[in-house]
C-alpha cells in the first residue's frame, strides 16, 4: 500500500526527502510552495495580505491617533480604537467556544469605505437606480482613476452615474474634507451636470421641432389610438345589424 500524505503536508514531506537525499531534483511547484506554504485550514485566521478589514482610511487612522494624543495631553482617558469593539467581540466568542471540540471557521467580514457612502447616496437618490447603465466599455481601457473632477476625461455627461459621485466623494475625503462636506461638493457638481444634460436634451428637441421633425408617440399613446380605432370599427359593425 502506497504512502498517502495529506495535501497540506506535501511540502514538508518533500523537504524531508530532499534533506535525506532521497530526491535529487525538487518538483517544479516546490519553489512556489516554499514562498507561500499551504495553510492547515481552508480559511486563514489572519489575512496574509495585510488588508484593512475595518474600512479605515489612512487619514482616519491619523485622526484617531491625533485624538488619542490630545486626550493623553489633557489628562483624559484615551478613547478606544475603532476596532476595539470588534476585538472584544472576537475574544468573547473565542472564550465561549473553548469547551467545544470543533470550532466553526467563518470568513472575515469584508467592509469597504465606499459601502457607507453608497448607502447614503442611494437613500437620497433612489431614482438613480432606475437609470439604464451600459456595462460594456466601448472606448478606453476602463481604468479611470483621475478623480480630481467628477466628469472623467473622455466621458460625456450622459455617462455619469451614482458610482462616479461616490468615488469623487471618497477622493475629496482623502484631501482632508469631512464626509458631509465632500458629499455636499460631489452632489452639487452632480446636480449641475444633470441640469446641463436636461437643458441640452430640451434644446435639441426644440431645434428638431423647428426643422419639421414630428414627435413620435409613446407606446401608451399608440395603444390608446389602436383602442379607439378598434372601438369605432366595432360600432360600425354593430350598426350594420
Amino acid at each position: 500500500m502506497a504512502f498517502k500524505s495529506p495535501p497540506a503536508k506535501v511540502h514538508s514531506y518533500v523537504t524531508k526527502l530532499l534533506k535525506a537525499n532521497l530526491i535529487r531534483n525538487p518538483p517544479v511547484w516546490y519553489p512556489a510552495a516554499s514562498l507561500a506554504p499551504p495553510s492547515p485550514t481552508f480559511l486563514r485566521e489572519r489575512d496574509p495580505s495585510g488588508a484593512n478589514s475595518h474600512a479605515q482610511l489612512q487619514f482616519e487612522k491619523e485622526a484617531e491617533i491625533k485624538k488619542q494624543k490630545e486626550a493623553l495631553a489633557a489628562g483624559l482617558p484615551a478613547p478606544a480604537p475603532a476596532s476595539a469593539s470588534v476585538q472584544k467581540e472576537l475574544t468573547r466568542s473565542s472564550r465561549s467556544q473553548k469547551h467545544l471540540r470543533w470550532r466553526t471557521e467563518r470568513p472575515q467580514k469584508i467592509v469597504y469605505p465606499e459601502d457607507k457612502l453608497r448607502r447614503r447616496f442611494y437613500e437620497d437618490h433612489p431614482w438613480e437606480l432606475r437609470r439604464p447603465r451600459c456595462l460594456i466599455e466601448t472606448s478606453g481601457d476602463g481604468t479611470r482613476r483621475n478623480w480630481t473632477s467628477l466628469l472623467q476625461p473622455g466621458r460625456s455627461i450622459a455617462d455619469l452615474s451614482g458610482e462616479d459621485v461616490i468615488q469623487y466623494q471618497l477622493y475629496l475625503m482623502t484631501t482632508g474634507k469631512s464626509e458631509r462636506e465632500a458629499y455636499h461638493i460631489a452632489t452639487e457638481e452632480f446636480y449641475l451636470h444633470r441640469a446641463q444634460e436636461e437643458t441640452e436634451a430640451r434644446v435639441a428637441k426644440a431645434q428638431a421641432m423647428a426643422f419639421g421633425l414630428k414627435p413620435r408617440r409613446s407606446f401608451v399613446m399608440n395603444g390608446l389610438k389602436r383602442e379607439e380605432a378598434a372601438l369605432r370599427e366595432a360600432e360600425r359593425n354593430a350598426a350594420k345589424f
Side-chain angles (χ1 to χ4, degrees):
M1 183 176 180
F3 173 73
K4 294 183 179 180
S5 177
K9 296 184 179 181
V10 172
H11 178 266
S12 60
Y13 180 66
V14 174
T15 304
K16 293 179 182 179
L17 293 178
L18 289 172
K19 290 181 179 180
N21 293 328
L22 297 177
I23 298 178
R24 295 183 179 179
N25 298 324
V28 181
W29 51 264
Y30 186 79
S34 301
L35 295 175
S39 175
T41 59
F42 291 102
L43 299 175
R44 296 181 182 269
E45 296 181 358
R46 186 170 297 178
D47 188 4
S49 62
N52 184 12
S53 61
H54 302 291
Q56 195 175 27
L57 299 176
Q58 183 64 29
F59 70 93
E60 294 177 341
K61 295 180 181 178
E62 295 176 356
E64 184 178 347
I65 296 174
K66 184 178 179 181
K67 288 181 180 180
Q68 293 179 356
K69 290 182 178 179
E70 292 177 355
L72 293 176
L76 300 175
S83 59
S85 60
V86 180
Q87 187 67 27
K88 184 178 180 180
E89 186 67 24
L90 292 175
T91 306
R92 184 187 304 170
S93 61
S94 62
R95 290 175 180 175
S96 62
Q97 293 182 357
K98 276 186 178 180
H99 65 283
L100 299 179
R101 183 176 181 182
W102 299 104
R103 181 180 177 182
T104 305
E105 296 288 350
R106 296 183 179 179
Q108 295 182 359
K109 185 178 180 180
I110 302 176
V111 182
Y112 295 95
E114 296 91 337
D115 295 340
K116 182 180 178 181
L117 309 181
R118 185 179 293 107
R119 192 180 303 110
R120 179 184 177 184
F121 176 81
Y122 285 115
E123 283 179 357
D124 296 341
H125 308 82
W127 288 102
E128 286 296 323
L129 296 173
R130 298 181 63 89
R131 292 179 65 91
R133 294 184 58 188
C134 181
L135 302 180
I136 302 176
E137 292 288 345
T138 57
S139 61
D141 56 353
T143 57
R144 300 184 179 93
R145 295 293 184 270
N146 184 18
W147 292 108
T148 54
S149 61
L150 177 61
L151 189 62
Q152 296 288 313
R155 297 185 67 184
S156 62
I157 301 178
D159 295 335
L160 281 179
S161 63
E163 296 299 324
D164 297 329
V165 181
I166 294 165
Q167 295 296 332
Y168 184 48
Q169 180 187 359
L170 185 64
Y171 167 76
L172 293 176
M173 291 173 61
T174 57
T175 59
K177 293 180 173 58
S178 62
E179 180 181 344
R180 184 173 183 178
E181 185 179 2
Y183 181 78
H184 176 71
I185 296 174
T187 51
E188 184 178 7
E189 190 171 345
F190 178 68
Y191 298 153
L192 292 176
H193 288 306
R194 280 284 185 261
Q196 182 180 354
E197 180 185 1
E198 294 177 0
T199 304
E200 291 178 356
R202 186 167 57 252
V203 171
K205 182 179 180 180
Q207 291 177 351
M209 296 289 292
F211 282 97
L213 179 66
K214 295 182 179 180
R216 296 179 58 184
R217 291 197 300 261
S218 63
F219 292 103
V220 177
M221 293 303 298
N222 286 333
L224 293 176
K225 290 292 184 181
R226 291 181 180 181
E227 184 178 355
E228 291 176 0
L231 290 174
R232 286 194 296 267
E233 185 179 358
E235 289 178 357
R236 288 194 299 267
N237 295 333
K240 294 179 182 180
F241 297 98

